[in-house]
Amino acid sequence: MSIQAINHVQLPFQLGQEAPMRHFYGELLGLRELQTQGGRGLRFVAGPQRLDLVPASQHAGVSGAAHLAFEVRDLPQLRWRLLGENCQLIE
């Protein structure tokens, strides 16, 4: 047995912040949103990989080590687009 690829990544977001998540992943990054079964959380696709975003309460906490890394064809263009939308970048 060997691992061939990442099937999906699951990350938490603050409960009630669906609209900003859709704006960031769908509009700014251009990922296609998929419908979720049960309507809980958000799901996007990036190439063959899936990104699942699940709502979490403020008290659940988010690990500082949690992250998602994309391979980007034109990184400088995306960087300026995000900065233009006042996104905080950690470089």
Side-chain angles (χ1 to χ4, degrees):
M1 180 191 93
S2 65
I3 297 190
Q4 301 298 307
I6 294 172
N7 176 270
H8 73 279
V9 173
Q10 180 171 297
L11 298 172
F13 69 92
Q14 188 175 5
L15 190 61
Q17 296 297 307
E18 289 83 356
M21 295 295 104
R22 280 191 168 100
H23 176 69
F24 181 76
Y25 289 101
E27 295 175 33
L28 293 179
L29 297 185
L31 301 182
R32 184 170 54 95
E33 185 174 356
L34 300 175
Q35 294 295 320
T36 58
Q37 294 181 352
R40 186 164 166 83
L42 302 171
R43 181 171 286 173
F44 295 90
V45 291
Q49 284 78 37
R50 193 178 80 220
L51 170 61
D52 294 339
L53 302 173
V54 294
S57 72
Q58 283 182 295
H59 306 293
V62 176
S63 168
H67 71 279
L68 173 62
F70 290 111
E71 289 183 25
V72 178
R73 180 171 291 140
D74 189 349
L75 185 58
Q77 180 183 5
L78 178 60
R79 181 181 183 276
W80 287 113
R81 183 176 184 180
L82 296 175
L83 289 171
E85 289 285 328
N86 296 316
C87 292
Q88 179 183 0
L89 302 181
I90 301 170
E91 301 181 273

